[in-house]
Amino acid sequence: MKTYFEVKNLKINNQTFEGVPTVLDIDHIEIQRGKTYGIVGESGSGKTVLALSILGLLQCPPGEIESGEIVFEGENLLKTSNRYMEQSIRGKKIAMIFQDPMSTLNPVFTVGYQIIQVIRKNQRLSEKGAYKKAVEMIKTVKLPDAEDIMKKYPHQLSGGQRQRVIIAMALACGAELIIADEPTRNLDVTIQASILKTLKELQKKFHVTILFIANNLSLVSTFCDELAILYKGKIIEHGRVRDVLRNPQHDYTKLLIRSITKDTLSKDKRKESKEVLLEVKELKKYFPVKKKFSKKEGVWVKAVDEVDLTIHKGEVVGIVGESGCGKSTLVNTILNLHQPTGGQVIFDGNNMFTLKKNELRKVRKDIQIVFQDPYWSLNPRWLVKDIVAEPIKVHRNLDEKSLLKRIEELLEMVGLPKEAAFKYPHEFSGGQRQRIAIARSLAVNPKLVVLDEPTSSIDVLSQAQILDLLDDLRERLELTNILISHDLSVVNYMSDRIIIMYLGKIVEYGRSVEVFKNPLHPYTQALFNSIPDIEKEGVESLATIEGNVPSAINPPLGCRFHTRCPKVMEICKEQLPEMKCIENDHYAACFLLTKEELGKKEVYLDINKSHKDKS
Ligand code: SF4
């Protein structure tokens, strides 16, 4: 049988001022038609170089293809001309789905126009025929109101919808091989699950082969048939997903598997304090909708709506929810970075909203933030010593010598050599940059450190190291942490307590062990079930939540989750369920969780049945 796709002895170098290092050195990859082949590796391991070489898009120089073959349907693509690739291969036979759909879509043209252009470039269709085909493809990728979507600009769609448009474009021209380069990296787990399911369905329908690039082993175990581990440009292990994951041979593969199957931290050893550090009462943050965007007066985006929470000293509290659920707005309002609409925040005995400017400045010293992306949060023109020194200069008056000593002490604390002080951020890897950001946040001995998605922009291995470092620092410096993340495994690993938010409201909270063992709210259950698990194979193992998160402008009446809840009842559409303690400090707000309902399991089942019957 003729091999469908093959890479043989491919060696690619990269010309730099320091020399010509080899960035990719692959002996052999073979993919059969209709299969899904996963490539897993850290950033810089050569995954994207491989994808670009297949499409003939690798920039040479600085790239330099020293030797090898990329054979697609019996033809060595490296021997073909750019014109041939442009006219016969790219888009027509091989298409690519990039990580960030915003960088693929042109922001100044409507989505419909862009799909039509792609179709007309690759197929001989009239304007009308291409329009019809575009609408059909939008329906195929399960976007609602196809005609309406055609008229929208990319910024008017959500991240998941944009990624579906890209899939529609890839399939519209009949591509047989799709290279998906971390297509769900920036999406919520629930959206990720539904995109992966759609992609799998379409793969079967259109008999497409997928080369799936990822840095997440769980994702590959759920989505792919075969797997290759790429490390420093070389494939160090490959085979059927099940074989590689159950019986890894290479130390690096074992390390990767260990880093994601790591148990939660032994939090039992943590001292439980009764002392309250932060108390939030009925906090509200509404943003007014400008007149030009709404015909009605007094329209508000209810980003945070009557939130109560208490954080004790030394605790790690995780806040979880899909994008737009209000987690970041909640933290920014607590820090008084957003003017609150109502409610109170008491931090270490101070009412944050009644403090005078200079008092607030002093209190803010005790609260620091580590941001998500260490590539953006560090000034690229400053030396590390100046970045770390900035908060110290604002709050303390140290002479040059003492300042440098403090900077070196902080760098050492986060596991960096003191020589790092005289380097620039670009000289460090993602994980090291995050260490610099952590050192800066600790510079003025804060009491509370907010960790806003601290590991989402870095590799799996660096993630594990950063989480261990954060836990170590929390213990040594007696810190309290608020951890915002959409990565539930990170939250489970680090947090003592967890808060689940949906559309501006807390729907469930409790000790993480309890919540992860026994999620009570239907939203939490769906959220947890949509996480890919290395132990499970096939996208069928992923649960999805139907529909999109409703707008926070005029959110649904009654329970805010009722428009997507598989267990919705009539009462849910009219009344807001109260937050109730169900067991051992485990709280949830859902009508199914009243004492009567929990006492009568049969009634609970009946309710589900009657809902199914109705639908
Ligand atoms: Fe679902 Fe009703 Fe519970 Fe809301 S209150 S989560 S709609 S069952």
Side-chain angles (χ1 to χ4, degrees):
M1 194 173 69
K2 202 163 78 174
T3 307
Y4 179 64
F5 179 85
E6 220 176 345
V7 176
K8 294 190 228 169
N9 303 320
L10 183 65
K11 197 164 180 184
I12 297 179
N13 305 324
N14 190 31
Q15 296 172 6
T16 65
F17 288 119
E18 283 102 34
V20 190
T22 300
V23 286
L24 203 63
D25 187 0
I26 294 178
D27 291 340
H28 194 222
I29 290 178
E30 188 178 328
I31 310 177
Q32 299 303 335
R33 192 188 282 270
K35 295 283 178 198
T36 313
Y37 193 94
I39 294 197
V40 176
E42 296 175 55
S43 343
S45 61
K47 307 184 297 273
T48 305
V49 172
L50 174 63
L52 295 176
S53 313
I54 296 171
L55 286 163
L57 290 175
L58 185 74
Q59 216 180 344
C60 295
E64 177 190 282
I65 301 177
E66 191 185 306
S67 59
E69 288 176 42
I70 296 177
V71 184
F72 174 67
E73 292 186 321
E75 186 175 27
N76 182 3
L77 296 182
L78 295 182
K79 289 267 181 279
T80 59
S81 66
N82 187 38
R83 195 184 156 98
Y84 175 77
M85 289 296 286
E86 179 75 27
Q87 288 180 347
S88 312
I89 301 289
R90 279 199 290 269
K92 275 202 176 85
K93 296 219 162 180
I94 308 178
M96 183 148 174
I97 301 172
F98 290 92
Q99 195 179 106
D100 179 7
M102 254 332 219
S103 62
T104 315
L105 293 168
N106 190 330
V108 299
F109 294 117
T110 62
V111 161
Y113 177 81
Q114 295 184 58
I115 305 181
I116 290 172
Q117 291 309 306
V118 171
I119 295 174
R120 292 202 72 192
K121 185 166 175 269
N122 292 296
Q123 289 176 7
R124 284 198 186 156
L125 282 178
S126 64
E127 184 84 25
K128 213 169 153 195
Y131 179 87
K132 229 173 121 194
K133 173 105 191 176
V135 172
E136 184 193 312
M137 287 319 295
I138 290 181
K139 285 183 186 158
T140 311
V141 293
K142 298 187 178 169
L143 279 169
D145 306 324
E147 308 252 348
D148 192 41
I149 295 271
M150 291 282 286
K151 292 181 208 142
K152 295 207 163 149
Y153 289 89
H155 75 272
Q156 293 173 302
L157 304 179
S158 69
Q161 287 175 324
R162 283 197 286 263
Q163 205 54 296
R164 281 177 195 270
V165 168
I166 300 291
I167 298 173
M169 276 181 171
L171 294 171
C173 306
E176 299 160 16
L177 172 66
I178 290 186
I179 304 172
D181 186 2
E182 306 198 37
T184 56
R185 182 161 184 164
N186 301 323
L187 303 176
D188 289 316
V189 274
T190 49
I191 312 283
Q192 168 174 281
S194 85
I195 294 273
L196 291 181
K197 282 190 162 183
T198 309
L199 204 50
K200 205 60 178 177
E201 237 173 76
L202 297 175
Q203 179 181 17
K204 279 192 193 137
K205 185 170 170 187
F206 293 96
H207 310 292
V208 175
T209 308
I210 298 181
L211 177 62
F212 190 80
I213 296 175
N215 73 352
N216 181 330
L217 268 183
S218 323
L219 207 58
V220 170
S221 89
T222 318
F223 193 72
C224 301
D225 307 303
E226 285 183 67
L227 155 74
I229 310 278
L230 197 59
Y231 179 65
K232 292 190 177 164
K234 280 182 181 285
I235 290 195
I236 51 159
E237 191 158 358
H238 67 97
R240 290 198 323 155
V241 168
R242 199 181 315 155
D243 301 337
V244 175
L245 297 183
R246 298 217 176 131
N247 189 18
Q249 299 299 314
H250 199 283
D251 286 347
Y252 178 72
T253 317
K254 291 179 191 165
L255 199 65
L256 274 184
I257 296 174
R258 257 208 314 279
S259 69
I260 51 167
T261 49
K262 209 167 179 183
D263 285 336
T264 56
L265 287 167
S266 170
K267 295 167 209 154
D268 299 343
K269 283 187 219 139
R270 288 188 188 168
K271 285 176 239 150
E272 270 192 31
S273 165
K274 289 260 173 320
E275 215 177 318
V276 173
L277 181 69
L278 179 75
E279 203 176 359
V280 175
K281 294 179 194 163
E282 295 181 3
L283 188 65
K284 286 186 204 167
K285 177 63 200 170
Y286 297 171
F287 294 96
V289 178
K290 284 190 185 155
K291 258 194 187 164
K292 57 180 173 185
F293 297 120
S294 167
K295 286 178 192 138
K296 285 190 224 152
E297 289 277 338
V299 178
W300 302 88
V301 173
K302 297 183 176 175
V304 172
D305 203 6
E306 301 204 0
V307 164
D308 294 293
L309 75 106
T310 305
I311 300 181
H312 298 97
K313 281 196 177 157
E315 240 188 341
V316 181
V317 174
I319 306 180
V320 168
E322 292 168 276
S323 316
C325 71
K327 2 183 235 302
S328 297
T329 311
L330 171 64
V331 170
N332 288 338
T333 317
I334 289 175
L335 303 186
N336 209 348
L337 296 173
H338 287 322
Q339 275 281 316
T341 310
Q344 267 191 346
V345 171
I346 316 285
F347 175 76
D348 208 17
N350 300 292
N351 185 336
M352 293 286 282
F353 303 151
T354 55
L355 291 176
K356 294 203 181 92
K357 242 187 178 173
N358 57 340
E359 292 168 333
L360 185 62
R361 220 178 103 201
K362 272 190 209 148
V363 173
R364 280 223 181 109
K365 174 184 90 59
D366 291 333
I367 312 175
Q368 295 294 320
I369 308 189
V370 175
F371 292 98
Q372 177 174 2
D373 194 340
Y375 290 85
W376 293 105
S377 61
L378 306 178
N379 190 332
R381 296 180 196 200
W382 285 12
L383 286 169
V384 167
K385 78 175 177 61
D386 299 321
I387 292 172
V388 178
E390 196 189 16
I392 307 177
K393 285 181 184 165
V394 173
H395 295 286
R396 290 173 70 185
N397 201 2
L398 291 184
D399 59 63
E400 273 300 308
K401 208 172 150 200
S402 320
L403 186 62
L404 190 60
K405 200 168 159 243
R406 174 73 181 140
I407 293 164
E408 288 174 352
E409 190 183 297
L410 286 160
L411 290 174
E412 201 178 309
M413 207 184 276
V414 296
L416 289 173
K418 50 185 178 187
E419 295 73 46
F422 294 94
K423 290 186 175 176
Y424 287 96
H426 74 265
E427 296 177 68
F428 298 90
S429 69
Q432 287 169 328
R433 284 184 218 207
Q434 201 55 304
R435 285 175 193 264
I436 298 169
I438 295 169
R440 181 177 58 183
S441 76
L442 300 175
V444 282
N445 300 323
K447 292 179 181 162
L448 174 69
V449 178
V450 178
L451 307 164
D452 188 356
E453 308 264 10
T455 56
S456 64
S457 318
I458 51 182
D459 291 316
V460 195
L461 284 183
S462 314
Q463 273 183 18
Q465 290 159 2
I466 292 287
L467 291 178
D468 286 340
L469 169 72
L470 287 169
D471 186 57
D472 179 48
L473 292 170
R474 187 202 53 75
E475 196 170 327
R476 273 163 59 197
L477 307 175
E478 298 185 350
L479 294 171
T480 305
N481 290 139
I482 294 180
L483 171 65
I484 304 176
S485 183
H486 71 262
D487 186 339
L488 290 159
S489 56
V490 169
V491 177
N492 186 20
Y493 183 68
M494 286 281 289
S495 316
D496 299 291
R497 281 194 302 137
I498 174 171
I499 289 171
I500 317 284
M501 284 189 78
Y502 183 77
L503 211 56
K505 282 204 169 284
I506 294 179
V507 294
E508 180 163 357
Y509 69 92
R511 286 167 53 81
S512 324
V513 211
E514 300 278 343
V515 178
F516 276 95
K517 198 168 69 188
N518 183 24
L520 296 168
H521 195 281
Y523 175 63
T524 318
Q525 290 165 356
L527 202 60
F528 288 4
N529 289 337
S530 60
I531 314 168
D533 185 343
I534 197 164
E535 304 287 329
K536 294 180 189 160
E537 282 167 34
V539 282
E540 309 74 41
S541 65
L542 302 176
T544 49
I545 308 179
E546 292 302 321
N548 292 320
V549 182
S551 162
I553 306 173
N554 294 330
L557 288 176
C559 171
R560 291 199 173 173
F561 187 52
H562 87 246
T563 52
R564 301 169 80 198
C565 180
K567 298 170 180 172
V568 62
M569 301 171 285
E570 278 312 312
I571 186 174
C572 312
K573 298 175 189 168
E574 288 146 20
Q575 291 179 33
L576 189 69
E578 253 179 68
M579 182 64 79
K580 285 192 176 157
C581 177
I582 313 295
E583 53 186 12
N584 304 336
D585 282 343
H586 186 169
Y587 291 76
C590 170
F591 288 117
L592 285 173
L593 299 167
T594 58
K595 278 207 177 95
E596 300 79 57
E597 301 294 353
L598 288 171
K600 296 183 252 165
K601 274 272 185 255
E602 284 162 21
V603 174
Y604 178 88
L605 293 173
D606 278 353
I607 289 165
N608 291 330
K609 189 168 172 293
S610 70
H611 170 64
K612 269 187 205 148
D613 291 347
K614 264 187 235 161
S615 58

